[in-house]
Amino acid sequence: MNNHSETWSNQNWKKFQKNLFRLQKRIYKAMQNGDTRKVKSLQRLVLKSHAARTLAVRQVSQLNSGKKTCGVDGQKSLNFKQRLNLAQKLKEANHWEHEELREVKIPKKNGKIRTLKIPTIADRAWQCLVKYALEPAHEATFHARSYGFRPGRGAQDAQKYVFDNLKSQAKGKSKRVIELDIEKCFDRISHKAIMTKVIAPQQIKTGLWRCLKAGVSPEFPEQGTPQGGVVSPLLANIALNGIEDIHPSVRYADDMIFFLKPKDNAEKILEKVQQFLAKRGMNISTEKTKITRATAGFDFLGWHFKVQGNGKFRCTPSEENYEKLRKKVKAIVNNSALATTAKAKKLDPIIRGWRNYHRYCKMDGSRFSLWLLSYTTFKKFLKDKNKGKNEAKKLINQAFPTVNYSENKFVMVKGTKSPYDGDLLYWSKRNSSLYDGHTAKALKRQGYKCGHCGYYLENNQKVELHHIDGNHDNWKPNNLLAVHESCHDYIHMGIHAKSLRLSRSRDAVKVARPVLKERCEG
């Protein structure tokens, strides 16, 4: 086991990433030049690449948020030997047989049930490998106003685009919006429509066809892409690409807003949208699709957008989004099984994440500034007899970390730029802007590169702070290193291995001492 762990952790990850990125960049450039024959040839190379196969296994078994989720085989995680074996097994990627999917029922807010269909870890690794080959080709064709589930783009880009279309200079006060809802989007996408639009050699298409068929509903055998698969969001983007051309709009996956000027005919636009969707096996949800005046306000991606009577644009967290946060905080604070210190530790990433997501909104007032929520939590912390007032204040500061706000100041991604265009510094700086405090300062000091591997920041990897001396109370700048999440894991694996070797050598000395003593005396 120790040999396998060393073999895995000693892989040249930096070289692997460079090799894969070099291939992906070539795919992107070939697609831009319209050379689909070269694109397919390079995609075959990705499937054969040892670097791509090993990185795919690492992505699904170590880095993805759902890495501990099991498929029908019941396997929740892979040890080092299994990871190496899976990377070897992916050599058969051209003839991959997809297993069945495990169904997980999730209740929706309207009382209905949403079904997640989870592939096995091995199938997720295959999907990740295929995504490495498909994504750069389609990134060259995707619309500039599509922001969901794409590298280098996010919800804040869509938020900024809404602001640009509804601010006073754009005469937002006179505009309406169509809040488009696609009925059961992921469950209704036509398999044939996806296959005709996928840019890939036949081996990949055959594998994707099997992947889609593994998750079909008996009611709709020719439709649906399984929610829970690694490649599913990309396939949905492929199917919906081009809907943005119908009318000025912004799309985040299957959530979409159309902007209407006073003379625009909403019915004609919706008719064109329905025709577009029908060709792909989908329909507009007449129940949820709404036409709203910008002055009345509307919700989109967890925000509430509204143009005020004076023409000024306002964006705040939506009521529903705030209520979700409040319930999460309440559940942790009222959990009698948790110590007060543990509660503060659990609240920290939740509050930081929420504040970071909404950092370009208007966040004053006792509600969205979370003053009321933090004060209620503070009163609860004070009831802990082991904590005085000063200690309770320190824990509140830990539980509710501050994040700087700058209303509508987000810098939107440039046009049709993609991380596969090779402009590493641009993308690394952009990814660094997602972080604040000590992490942001460390990244700037390091020239926007990982402090461990020296590689620019990838879009799909989180950045973490490493305390060089191991003391997590030492926040001096020279003790902090901003590193990739995976690099952080390997740093600590190395530290653990070193301490293990030291302890073994000490044990060996302890065993040897009495033997040597006996020999000397003899």
Side-chain angles (χ1 to χ4, degrees):
M1 177 59 75
N2 191 43
N3 288 341
H4 292 124
S5 69
E6 283 185 19
T7 304
W8 181 259
S9 56
N10 289 336
Q11 298 280 345
N12 194 338
W13 299 108
K14 184 178 174 182
K15 186 182 176 184
F16 286 174
Q17 286 166 333
K18 280 187 174 179
N19 288 348
L20 174 60
F21 183 69
R22 195 181 295 118
L23 277 173
Q24 290 179 315
K25 194 166 68 171
R26 287 174 68 193
I27 291 170
Y28 180 80
K29 290 279 170 67
M31 195 66 227
Q32 277 188 319
N33 295 332
D35 191 348
T36 51
R37 189 176 176 181
K38 188 176 182 181
V39 167
K40 291 175 184 180
S41 174
L42 290 166
Q43 286 175 325
R44 290 188 195 98
L45 287 180
V46 171
L47 257 63
K48 290 177 185 175
S49 164
H50 172 68
R53 287 187 277 112
T54 313
L55 286 168
V57 174
R58 183 179 72 154
Q59 188 67 41
V60 299
S61 64
Q62 283 181 268
L63 303 179
N64 284 354
S65 55
K67 59 191 173 189
K68 297 288 184 185
T69 312
C70 65
V72 287
D73 58 357
Q75 194 167 35
K76 285 188 176 180
S77 60
L78 302 180
N79 59 35
F80 296 106
K81 185 181 179 181
Q82 288 167 329
R83 288 177 201 168
L84 290 164
N85 288 342
L86 179 53
Q88 189 70 15
K89 189 184 174 185
L90 285 174
K91 279 186 175 181
E92 304 159 19
N94 284 335
H95 313 287
W96 195 262
E97 292 292 340
H98 215 279
E99 290 191 58
E100 290 182 9
L101 309 178
R102 183 172 74 93
E103 292 192 359
V104 179
K105 307 287 185 185
I106 297 173
K108 292 168 80 173
K109 61 184 179 183
N110 59 5
K112 293 181 181 179
I113 298 292
R114 182 163 66 101
T115 305
L116 276 183
K117 296 181 179 179
I118 315 294
T120 62
I121 297 176
D123 287 337
R124 294 204 294 270
W126 178 85
Q127 287 187 28
C128 186
L129 180 61
V130 165
K131 188 184 173 189
Y132 288 156
L134 289 181
E135 194 170 63
H138 286 281
E139 271 297 304
T141 66
F142 281 158
H143 201 283
R145 294 196 304 274
S146 160
Y147 298 110
F149 302 111
R150 289 183 60 189
R153 289 161 181 260
Q156 281 76 19
D157 290 291
Q159 179 192 32
K160 179 68 172 176
Y161 194 80
V162 174
F163 165 69
D164 286 347
N165 277 270
L166 296 181
K167 60 186 179 182
S168 55
Q169 295 94 317
K171 299 180 181 177
K173 191 178 173 181
S174 63
K175 289 183 180 179
R176 295 167 295 154
V177 297
I178 297 174
E179 301 173 64
L180 180 70
D181 188 275
I182 302 168
E183 189 179 8
K184 295 183 178 179
C185 175
F186 283 86
D187 297 332
R188 295 290 180 269
I189 298 174
S190 162
H191 292 170
K192 285 180 181 175
I194 291 174
M195 285 299 120
T196 54
K197 293 188 175 300
V198 166
I199 302 156
Q202 192 55 48
Q203 304 98 303
I204 290 179
K205 284 192 172 187
T206 303
L208 281 174
W209 186 258
R210 289 172 185 158
C211 168
L212 291 170
K213 291 302 173 191
V216 294
S217 160
E219 193 183 349
F220 301 98
E222 299 297 323
Q223 291 176 283
T225 174
Q227 292 185 60
V230 176
V231 80
S232 297
L234 175 61
L235 294 179
N237 271 338
I238 290 169
L240 290 171
N241 187 44
I243 195 172
E244 304 88 352
D245 290 319
I246 292 170
H247 193 79
S249 56
V250 59
R251 180 170 71 84
Y252 189 94
D254 60 331
D255 288 318
M256 197 165 183
I257 296 288
F258 289 94
F259 303 99
L260 306 180
K261 291 178 181 177
K263 291 182 180 179
D264 287 334
N265 188 322
E267 286 183 9
K268 279 188 178 179
I269 293 164
L270 285 171
E271 193 179 315
K272 286 179 183 176
V273 170
Q274 179 54 46
Q275 287 168 5
F276 178 95
L277 293 174
K279 289 175 185 175
R280 290 151 181 82
M282 295 176 277
N283 288 302
I284 292 173
S285 170
T286 49
E287 182 189 332
K288 294 179 185 175
T289 298
K290 293 181 279 186
I291 300 166
T292 315
R293 294 202 71 83
T295 49
F298 60 95
D299 290 351
F300 181 54
L301 302 178
W303 293 301
H304 183 72
F305 298 100
K306 187 176 182 178
V307 177
Q308 298 176 157
N310 61 1
K312 191 155 186 172
F313 175 89
R314 279 283 174 260
C315 175
T316 56
S318 68
E319 289 289 325
E320 185 188 335
N321 187 275
Y322 174 79
E323 273 305 304
K324 273 186 185 175
L325 174 77
R326 195 185 65 79
K327 283 176 184 175
K328 271 186 188 177
V329 171
K330 192 178 176 182
I332 292 168
V333 171
N334 292 338
N335 188 344
S336 55
L338 288 173
T340 308
T341 311
K343 288 175 185 178
K345 200 173 180 181
K346 267 186 169 285
L347 287 171
D348 177 6
I350 293 168
I351 300 298
R352 189 186 299 278
W354 191 84
R355 282 181 158 165
N356 262 316
Y357 187 77
H358 298 297
R359 65 196 284 194
Y360 301 103
C361 292
K362 185 172 174 59
M363 297 293 280
D364 51 8
S366 62
R367 192 168 212 208
F368 297 135
S369 68
L370 304 186
W371 181 88
L372 199 61
L373 206 54
S374 63
Y375 181 66
T376 310
T377 307
F378 174 65
K379 287 199 291 184
K380 197 81 177 178
F381 283 6
L382 279 177
K383 289 181 181 178
D384 185 342
K385 293 174 184 177
N386 299 320
K387 308 290 178 195
K389 193 174 181 179
N390 287 337
E391 202 167 348
K393 278 182 179 176
K394 281 182 184 176
L395 287 173
I396 282 294
N397 289 338
Q398 183 191 341
F400 289 81
T402 55
V403 170
N404 293 328
Y405 300 107
S406 49
E407 192 182 354
N408 301 324
K409 297 293 183 189
F410 181 78
V411 179
M412 200 160 55
V413 65
K414 286 181 185 176
T416 55
K417 273 192 79 65
S418 167
Y420 300 116
D421 62 15
D423 192 350
L424 293 175
L425 184 60
Y426 170 83
W427 289 105
S428 197
K429 277 186 176 182
R430 186 169 173 78
N431 293 335
S432 299
S433 68
L434 301 173
Y435 301 92
D436 62 345
H438 291 290
T439 309
K441 287 173 185 173
L443 286 168
K444 194 172 181 180
R445 281 197 306 273
Q446 294 162 202
Y448 307 102
K449 292 181 180 180
C450 170
H452 179 67
C453 70
Y455 199 61
Y456 281 111
L457 304 188
E458 290 179 79
N459 178 67
N460 62 350
Q461 269 214 58
K462 291 178 190 171
V463 172
E464 294 179 349
L465 265 186
H466 172 62
H467 292 72
I468 296 166
D469 66 359
N471 178 11
H472 285 242
D473 294 322
N474 181 0
W475 292 91
K476 290 179 180 176
N478 61 359
N479 188 49
L480 301 175
L481 213 58
V483 295
H484 289 124
E485 182 187 18
S486 55
C487 290
H488 204 187
D489 288 344
Y490 295 126
I491 290 169
H492 284 289
M493 278 169 66
I495 292 167
H496 175 70
K498 191 177 178 182
S499 62
L500 196 66
R501 284 195 293 271
L502 278 170
S503 64
R504 280 177 179 167
S505 62
R506 282 174 191 147
D507 289 344
V509 168
K510 283 177 188 175
V511 171
R513 265 179 192 156
V515 176
L516 288 168
K517 190 179 177 184
E518 202 176 306
R519 283 180 183 171
C520 290
E521 286 172 355

